[in-house]
Amino acid sequence: MEEQKPRLLDSQFAKFLAKRSTISGKFREQFAQLVCKLSMSLAAGDSCIALTEEEEGLVRSSGLAGTEANPLVVWQGRLYLQKIFAHERRLAENLKRLTADSSSLVRDEALLDTLFGGVDSGEVNWQRISAERALEQKFLIISGGPGTGKTSTVVKILALLVSAMGPELRVGLAAPTGKAAMRLQESIGHSISQLPIHDLIKAAIPGQAHTLHRLLGVRRFSPYFFHHGDNPLSYDVVVVDEASMVDLALMSKLVDALRPGSRLILLGDRNQLASVESGAVLADLIAALPDNTVELQKSYRFDGGIKGFAEAVNSGDSSRAWAIMTGKEPGNISLLQEEVADYGGEKYCRYMEAVCQARTLHDYGKLFSFLHSFKILCALRNGKAGVTGVNAQVERYLTARGYDCFGSPWYPGRPVMVTRNDYALDLYNGDIGICMPDPEQPDIMKVWFERSATILQGMLPGRLSACETVYALTIHKSQGAEIDEVLVVLPEHDSALVTRELLYTAVTRAAKCVRIRGRQAVFDTAVSRKIERFSGLALRFRKNELSTDVRASADKE
């Protein structure tokens, strides 16, 4: 991977700590370089960096490591910032207690057979196995690619838990983003309606999902939450979808806030992109706790084309993936030959035609259906092939065909994405809205957001503190979405940001069709580049090692 350059923040932070160390001369400069490297690694998603014996001695002699009051921690040949170390250590401690707390519930074999079928089919039923594990364990990870039935499985698990523990069972459903929470809520509702179980059990399964921040209770202008170890959540069971997106700090705070005796179920795909912030928590926990993990392997969403392509990308086989994409069959995954603006612009022309005809909130709801059916996903944010460049190209294409996208910043049909959490408005990073007139006051433009499958809420544009046009969005922002067709746009030249996980995440957003625009050299390099995040989380379980140089206490959120 190409060499990273330190940011101004990295170099200034390193100078700040070096000046406060007890070392001088060339050793201070070496210490500053180590701190700069740590800061850069944290920005790249690592939780810590590895140290040589000489480097470890240098850090210990700096006077800035060794006590809880110091900013740095040395543990098992790794260098941490104190706060990151505390989160990692606390998470490991809490999960060890949770996995050791075995209180197996009575299995209703008849209900298991009703929900998952019998055990004599000759094929391993991993969904049933995950349900049996959930009855035996307080902590369970259900991993699997898109379409493997993670959500439908967890609904059946909740039915079993309600049957075993009673209809008063309190269940919390959560996801990292508002978009993922809404999708979880819709999937849960659909799955409940299909269950062949008593209505009393169905009624006990909640139909509402929250963002993790909302579940834990946000405190405005504070990094701490309302719920924590001393004020735990009231739920008996907490289910978290899209767990690969949850960073170390947030996962630590969630587990710390669990009520004693409660259960935690994580759903996610370990092959997807990890969290934007530090850590690859889901992947680390799957590696460290195989007895608490079930991998669902049968996909019910994809046909052989997208599934085979995704598997080739995930295995690093770029030749096979390229051959699938450029072959005549299957027709639902192909290399796009025409310009992105032409292909995407024509798709959005159909959307703008619907915009011109929309008059009621019901009509506006149909516009969201279109936005959920097609997306341009960019590997990068900036540049001609990035989000900013592609959005501008699409707007120019639409304007050339009579849909004025430049007469006003808030033109009818403009799709926007919220880029910063706004707890006062109950809007979250990644939420998508559509700018349209208020049906009752057509002279007033509002941005409409989906609150459920049937409810829209309008906001005056001036109230939105941070949002951007979203004909195209980054692959990172698409996580948690299921889209009929995606157009994946790779950069003209290689970038260290374009990785195997990024491509896999983009391709597996599609339910029906994938188009990819990019050069083979860039594609091949991306498929060969795998993200490797460095942390000590899995090590804490493998070696049963929780001793440390310092007694870093947990934050009291």
Side-chain angles (χ1 to χ4, degrees):
M1 188 175 294
E2 63 191 44
E3 190 73 22
Q4 277 185 293
K5 294 182 180 180
R7 304 164 299 167
L8 180 62
L9 174 63
D10 302 324
S11 57
Q12 291 300 315
F13 178 63
K15 290 178 181 178
F16 176 81
L17 288 190
K19 287 181 179 179
R20 284 154 181 79
S21 70
T22 57
I23 51 183
S24 59
K26 68 174 184 178
F27 296 110
R28 174 180 287 188
E29 179 60 29
Q30 293 172 4
F31 175 75
Q33 290 174 1
L34 269 180
V35 175
C36 186
K37 180 182 176 182
L38 175 61
S39 182
M40 291 169 62
S41 295
L42 292 177
D46 295 329
S47 301
C48 52
I49 60 173
L51 295 175
T52 64
E53 289 187 12
E54 182 180 353
E55 290 170 339
E56 185 171 333
L58 179 64
V59 174
R60 291 186 185 280
S61 68
S62 70
L64 298 178
T67 70
E68 187 178 335
N70 290 141
L72 302 176
V73 176
V74 175
W75 179 80
Q76 296 291 319
R78 290 162 164 80
L79 177 63
Y80 292 81
L81 284 185
Q82 178 72 249
K83 193 162 187 76
I84 300 295
F85 175 82
H87 286 314
E88 185 180 281
R89 181 175 182 272
R90 182 67 173 178
L91 176 60
E93 287 179 331
N94 282 329
L95 286 180
K96 274 181 168 286
R97 282 191 285 267
L98 194 61
T99 54
D101 183 6
S102 59
S103 57
S104 184
L105 300 173
V106 176
R107 286 167 49 170
D108 186 335
E109 295 293 343
L111 185 55
L112 271 167
D113 289 344
T114 298
L115 294 173
F116 296 99
V119 294
D120 301 325
S121 64
E123 181 181 357
V124 177
N125 189 334
W126 293 107
Q127 293 187 357
R128 180 179 177 120
I129 290 173
S130 67
E132 294 169 347
R133 293 269 190 95
L135 293 171
E136 299 167 355
Q137 301 172 339
K138 292 289 184 69
F139 177 59
L140 178 66
I141 301 172
I142 302 177
S143 178
T148 51
K150 295 186 292 293
T151 306
S152 60
T153 298
V154 85
V155 171
K156 295 174 183 178
I157 288 173
L158 293 177
L160 287 165
L161 292 175
V162 170
S163 177
M165 302 174 71
E168 67 280 359
L169 184 75
R170 293 163 294 183
V171 180
L173 303 175
T177 66
K179 177 173 55 182
M182 180 178 291
R183 182 161 173 259
L184 173 63
Q185 184 171 301
E186 292 171 351
S187 299
I188 292 282
H190 176 74
S191 297
I192 290 174
S193 67
Q194 306 296 314
L195 290 183
I197 57 175
H198 198 283
D199 287 344
L200 287 177
I201 296 180
K202 289 184 180 181
I205 301 174
Q208 184 174 13
H210 307 274
T211 64
L212 280 170
H213 287 79
R214 181 65 69 186
L215 185 83
L216 292 170
V218 172
R219 290 180 175 177
R220 297 192 69 185
F221 311 114
S222 170
Y224 306 124
F225 291 111
F226 181 75
H227 292 289
H228 47 77
D230 294 332
N231 182 35
L233 295 162
S234 61
Y235 302 110
D236 301 303
V237 182
V238 174
V239 177
V240 180
D241 196 15
E242 298 293 345
S244 64
M245 299 169 64
V246 183
D247 63 71
L248 175 64
L250 187 56
M251 187 67 79
S252 178
K253 292 175 182 180
L254 169 67
V255 176
D256 196 46
L258 294 177
R259 187 177 64 81
S262 62
R263 283 173 149 78
L264 175 62
I265 301 175
L266 303 181
L267 311 177
D269 183 352
R270 62 177 171 180
N271 296 315
Q272 282 191 180
L273 287 165
S275 61
V276 176
E277 303 297 331
S278 298
V281 178
L282 183 68
D284 282 346
L285 293 180
I286 288 173
L289 300 170
D291 292 339
N292 295 83
T293 301
V294 177
E295 185 88 24
L296 304 184
Q297 299 174 18
K298 183 177 180 180
S299 176
Y300 300 90
R301 181 196 300 179
F302 298 137
D303 63 8
I306 296 177
K307 181 181 179 182
F309 183 81
E311 288 174 348
V313 169
N314 192 39
S315 65
D317 191 344
S318 61
S319 296
R320 179 183 164 216
W322 187 264
I324 292 173
M325 182 169 54
T326 55
K328 293 182 179 180
E329 297 292 340
N332 65 344
I333 180 160
S334 63
L335 184 67
L336 184 71
Q337 300 296 338
E338 58 190 294
E339 293 296 325
V340 170
D342 293 340
Y343 186 85
E346 182 57 35
K347 291 279 187 179
Y348 282 116
C349 275
R350 301 172 199 171
Y351 163 74
M352 294 302 284
E353 289 174 9
V355 166
C356 294
Q357 298 172 12
R359 296 289 183 273
T360 66
L361 292 184
H362 178 72
D363 295 335
Y364 294 177
K366 294 180 180 178
L367 299 180
F368 279 98
S369 297
F370 183 92
L371 289 182
H372 297 326
S373 69
F374 174 75
K375 279 286 188 301
I376 303 174
L377 306 182
C378 298
L380 303 181
R381 178 166 187 79
N382 298 314
K384 180 181 178 181
V387 167
T388 53
V390 172
N391 275 321
Q393 293 168 46
V394 170
E395 286 188 316
R396 286 195 294 269
Y397 185 99
L398 293 175
T399 300
R401 278 150 185 79
Y403 305 107
D404 186 6
C405 300
F406 298 104
S408 167
W410 297 103
Y411 57 85
R414 180 191 174 195
V416 297
M417 174 179 281
V418 175
T419 57
R420 186 169 62 234
N421 293 341
D422 190 328
Y423 302 110
L425 297 180
D426 198 25
L427 293 176
Y428 298 90
N429 189 355
D431 287 354
I432 291 178
I434 300 175
C435 185
M436 292 293 289
D438 187 329
E440 297 181 359
Q441 298 174 286
D443 293 336
I444 298 178
M445 299 298 292
K446 289 186 176 181
V447 181
W448 299 88
F449 293 91
E450 290 180 300
R451 292 309 193 187
S452 70
T454 57
I455 298 176
L456 301 181
Q457 182 180 7
M459 304 279 185
L460 291 172
R463 299 188 67 191
L464 303 180
S465 57
C467 63
E468 61 188 22
T469 303
V470 69
Y471 294 106
L473 68 158
T474 62
I475 296 170
H476 277 89
K477 292 285 188 180
S478 74
Q479 283 185 274
E482 180 179 335
I483 307 159
D484 288 343
E485 178 183 356
V486 298
L487 168 55
V488 183
V489 183
L490 301 181
E492 292 290 323
H493 305 286
D494 179 44
S495 167
L497 299 176
V498 187
T499 64
R500 182 185 307 174
E501 291 84 356
L502 194 78
L503 279 173
Y504 174 84
T505 299
V507 170
T508 54
R509 296 311 89 214
K512 298 179 181 179
C513 183
V514 177
R515 305 280 181 252
I516 295 181
R517 172 74 178 186
R519 295 169 53 239
Q520 185 172 2
V522 174
F523 179 85
D524 288 346
T525 304
V527 173
S528 68
R529 181 184 289 124
K530 185 171 175 59
I531 295 175
E532 297 290 349
R533 288 194 168 179
F534 192 71
S535 80
L537 182 59
L539 179 66
R540 294 176 182 276
F541 294 93
R542 287 199 300 269
K543 294 193 173 183
N544 194 27
E545 176 61 72
L546 285 173
S547 63
T548 179
D549 300 87
V550 299
R551 300 300 298 173
S553 60
D555 299 319
K556 299 300 183 182
E557 284 83 39

